Amino acid sequence: MTFNISMHRSWWREHGPGCVRRVVRPSSPGILEDYSYVSVTGCIIDFQYLEVIHSAIQILLSVSSRFFSYWDS
């Protein structure tokens, strides 16, 4: 998660299911390549929802592992 620092830094934004990633080269010479020049189209699910699902799964796994390790001892 990026804590909403920048929309362009999400892995899910560019690699989600169905997403087609296209790098757009900067028009001016001397400008370094940056994530702002990436065009993403065709995503099945918005990346915000994927990040929430991903985080929820991580939380559930963490809580369940703590729960089961507590009952095993």
Side-chain angles (χ1 to χ4, degrees):
M1 291 185 47
T2 61
F3 299 105
N4 207 18
I5 293 172
S6 173
M7 250 180 57
H8 305 288
R9 303 294 183 219
S10 172
W11 187 87
W12 286 112
R13 181 175 184 261
E14 298 177 18
H15 301 93
C19 293
V20 177
R21 180 179 183 255
R22 188 178 66 128
V23 177
V24 179
R25 302 283 176 217
S27 59
S28 301
I31 296 178
L32 298 174
E33 285 192 36
D34 191 8
Y35 284 100
S36 61
Y37 295 104
V38 174
S39 171
V40 180
T41 57
C43 296
I44 296 171
I45 301 173
D46 287 340
F47 73 96
Q48 296 95 336
Y49 298 121
L50 288 171
E51 286 184 358
V52 169
I53 292 168
H54 184 210
S55 298
I57 290 170
Q58 287 180 329
I59 291 168
L60 289 174
L61 287 174
S62 174
V63 168
S64 66
S65 69
R66 287 294 225 179
F67 178 76
F68 288 118
S69 69
Y70 176 76
W71 288 106
D72 282 341
S73 47

